Amino acid sequence: MSGTSSSYDPVQVTPLGEEQVFAMRDAAVAAIAAAADLDQLKQVRSEHAGDRSPLALANREIGALPPQARKDAGMRVGQARAAVNEALAARTEVLEAEAEDRMLVEETVDVTLPWDRQPRGARHPITMMSDLVSDVFVAMGWEVAEGPLVEAEWLNFDALNLGPDHPARTMQDTFWTEPADNHVVLRTHTSPVQARTMLTREPPIYVVCPGRVFRTDEYDATHSPMFHQVEGLVVDEGITMAHLKGTLDHFAQAVFGEGITTRFRPSYFPFTEPSAEVDLVCFVCRGSGTLDGSTCRTCRGEGWIEWGGCGVVNPRVLVACGVDPERYTGFAFGMGIDRTLMFRHGVEDLRSFFEGDVRFSRAFGTEI
Ligand code: DAH
């Protein structure tokens, strides 16, 4: 190639020779192509096109070359820098477009999504049923009565004709509190509210009492150590079993619909005499036991559903609670609220009421 001359020192020219300049250019173009995103490209730009990049340094050296060499070297370096800038511009365009596409996907806002989905929560089905029951009776002029969950043994049992040795005591598996000689229990039924009411009010008494009760039951699909009952009590002059029957028929229809009446089966409770179990006409098959040709699942083909217990208040209870049995008579009844909800809504597992899953409550409606 060009021969040696006094004014053209090949040693000095070497860094700006074709090979070196092309190598710098190619390294830059390769690095640009390899940059995977705009951040990496920024780094590559400063390394290969910045003030301290090999090509920028080479450019600076041109001035120091002998005049004959300047033109060639200038052209080579200039072309190489132009190629690098072009590659940078092209890669920037590609990466910017990619970044934008990615942003459009990642930051997508679906404007068709509902914007007001703020769950309001839902009232618990047991609360709703307790209120419904209370409303039915309040509409007839009754009052809602309440009592404590932690109750005196005497009110939970003795006042209700369940003396210490009464065999029916063991039917209600009781949570006793310590110390035992305080004789305090977690109430095993809502019936002590009957005693409390009679002890604190003069007849006529018309009260309904929904509330929690406790028994040492296993926690399974049909039992729970805590569940809910509703108690009703009437004490007035001339009250008979007929009033009880009429009241329960009205109650049944208010909760289960027109035509859903009750029947009584003889039974025993210490606090009522006579006593009965109350059954309800099956509100699904309306007493036929069959539905569309097959056995009704709600009443299991019986046509009737067991609902609760009831009876005429035992005079011994009236006496224990300071009510004159010569002048007054009364009736009482008690039902399970959870149980009522279970068959009314086909809930198969009692535990669903106590697991706190708002989706379960919501299925009963979100009326406030
Ligand atoms: N206390 C009863 C129970 O828990 C239910 C009951 C039955 C209540 C008859 C009553 C009644 O008021 O008259 O099993």
Side-chain angles (χ1 to χ4, degrees):
M1 295 279 267
S2 45
T4 309
S5 84
S6 56
S7 58
Y8 195 121
D9 182 352
V11 176
Q12 214 181 359
V13 183
T14 307
L16 297 179
E18 206 163 67
E19 226 169 273
Q20 284 80 0
V21 173
F22 286 173
M24 290 175 204
R25 180 198 66 190
D26 293 346
V29 170
I32 290 164
D37 57 36
L38 289 167
D39 279 346
Q40 284 182 22
L41 190 64
K42 193 172 166 198
Q43 181 72 19
V44 170
R45 183 192 303 275
S46 102
E47 274 168 28
H48 292 277
D51 288 348
R52 306 204 53 79
S53 65
L55 279 169
L57 296 175
N59 196 46
R60 255 183 256 160
E61 277 174 35
I62 293 171
L65 292 176
Q68 304 92 311
R70 268 188 219 157
K71 195 176 156 215
D72 278 356
M75 207 147 73
R76 257 197 307 277
V77 173
Q79 278 169 357
R81 296 183 86 194
V84 169
N85 285 335
E86 216 169 277
L88 272 172
R91 189 73 187 138
T92 303
E93 207 172 302
V94 169
L95 291 178
E96 273 176 355
E98 271 180 26
E100 194 163 322
D101 285 349
R102 208 176 311 126
M103 199 170 73
L104 283 175
V105 172
E106 281 168 6
E107 297 176 15
T108 303
V109 175
D110 183 349
V111 292
T112 66
L113 279 177
W115 52 271
D116 60 347
R117 221 188 257 169
Q118 277 223 351
R120 291 240 183 97
R123 295 179 73 218
H124 195 278
I126 289 172
T127 313
M128 282 166 60
M129 179 52 88
S130 302
D131 287 358
L132 168 65
V133 172
S134 301
D135 285 351
V136 169
F137 286 94
V138 166
M140 294 193 290
W142 294 38
E143 286 173 75
V144 177
E146 281 182 356
L149 308 184
V150 181
E151 185 57 283
E153 175 188 2
W154 189 83
L155 290 162
N156 193 80
F157 292 121
D158 303 65
L160 299 170
N161 195 30
L162 272 151
D165 302 320
H166 200 292
R169 267 207 189 198
T170 51
M171 280 161 57
Q172 301 194 352
D173 302 308
T174 309
F175 282 112
W176 296 89
T177 66
E178 301 272 359
D181 53 10
N182 274 3
H183 300 284
V184 170
V185 300
L186 300 190
R187 70 179 183 194
T188 57
H189 50 177
T190 40
S191 303
V193 184
Q194 290 187 26
R196 286 184 168 270
T197 308
M198 285 187 268
L199 285 164
T200 52
R201 302 182 195 204
E202 289 299 313
I205 291 169
Y206 290 80
V207 292
V208 65
C209 162
R212 283 173 192 220
V213 301
F214 305 85
R215 290 188 199 173
T216 58
D217 285 337
E218 289 298 317
Y219 185 52
D220 62 28
T222 51
H223 297 88
S224 163
M226 187 282 292
F227 56 102
H228 300 78
Q229 288 187 336
V230 57
E231 192 82 15
L233 172 72
V234 167
V235 180
D236 203 345
E237 288 178 5
I239 293 295
T240 70
M241 197 114 178
H243 295 115
L244 170 61
K245 180 71 167 66
T247 304
L248 290 177
D249 278 352
H250 174 76
F251 181 20
Q253 300 195 64
V255 176
F256 293 95
E258 218 168 296
I260 304 304
T261 50
T262 60
R263 76 172 178 191
F264 286 175
R265 278 180 293 113
S267 186
Y268 173 76
F269 298 103
F271 26 93
T272 43
E273 184 56 43
S275 302
E277 304 269 348
V278 197
D279 294 343
L280 194 71
V281 172
C282 177
F283 55 95
V284 175
C285 65
R286 305 194 83 80
S288 72
T290 56
L291 196 67
D292 300 331
S294 47
T295 308
C296 174
R297 282 174 54 204
T298 305
C299 64
R300 298 196 181 81
E302 295 289 319
W304 295 91
I305 300 167
E306 282 184 34
W307 197 20
C310 67
V312 170
V313 180
N314 190 322
R316 292 174 65 103
V317 174
L318 296 178
V319 170
C321 299
V323 175
D324 178 3
E326 299 300 327
R327 182 170 173 199
Y328 295 108
T329 50
F331 69 72
F333 58 85
M335 277 90 187
I337 292 183
D338 328 59
R339 220 188 92 69
T340 301
L341 277 166
M342 281 178 85
F343 62 73
R344 188 180 188 240
H345 296 272
V347 176
E348 269 161 22
D349 196 324
L350 176 63
R351 290 168 292 195
S352 312
F353 290 114
F354 309 126
E355 303 286 299
D357 188 333
V358 75
R359 291 169 301 181
F360 174 78
S361 304
R362 212 179 278 145
F364 285 78
T366 47
E367 53 184 87
I368 311 275

